[in-house]
């Protein structure tokens, strides 16, 4: 049995169900729930893109990043 990615509507339905189960939902408008869901979806997309970059070797070490960052922002010394 293969599980497929939920559709946007299914994902939103699940998200709203979880929100309604929390006490915070009492204070949330439908527009706020939609905005929060969209923010969560954007975060998930960014995570998936980052994982794909790592899997494809499109990354650099922390040391390399730190060196370049310090040089670009004229920060002296090492961590």
């Amino acid at each position: 049995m293969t599980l497929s990615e939920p559709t946007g509507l299914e994902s939103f339905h699940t998200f709203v169900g979880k929100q309604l189960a929390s006490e915070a939902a009492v204070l949330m408008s439908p527009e706020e729930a939609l905005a929060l869901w969209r923010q969560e979806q954007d975060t998930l997309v960014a995570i998936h893109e980052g994982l794909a970059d790592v899997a494809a070797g499109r990354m650099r070490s922390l040391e390399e990043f730190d060196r370049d960052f310090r040089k670009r922002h004229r920060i002296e010394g090492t961590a």
Side-chain angles (χ1 to χ4, degrees):
M1 180 173 147
T2 304
L3 294 177
S4 62
E5 289 288 321
T7 65
L9 185 57
E10 291 169 327
S11 175
F12 182 66
H13 181 268
T14 301
F15 176 81
V16 169
K18 289 178 185 175
Q19 294 304 310
L20 290 174
S22 74
E23 292 180 22
V26 174
L27 303 174
M28 191 180 305
S29 71
E31 292 81 11
E32 290 170 322
L34 182 57
L36 191 60
W37 176 75
R38 285 180 173 155
Q39 185 178 35
E40 182 178 275
Q41 296 307 297
D42 291 344
T43 300
L44 291 173
V45 167
I47 290 170
H48 285 288
E49 288 172 354
L51 291 173
D53 285 343
V54 169
R58 294 184 300 264
M59 60 183 184
R60 55 187 176 150
S61 69
L62 176 59
E63 293 79 13
E64 183 182 353
F65 169 81
D66 184 53
R67 184 181 61 248
D68 294 344
F69 182 86
R70 289 173 182 277
K71 183 178 179 181
R72 186 172 47 249
H73 296 283
R74 299 182 183 133
I75 300 171
E76 294 186 28
T78 57

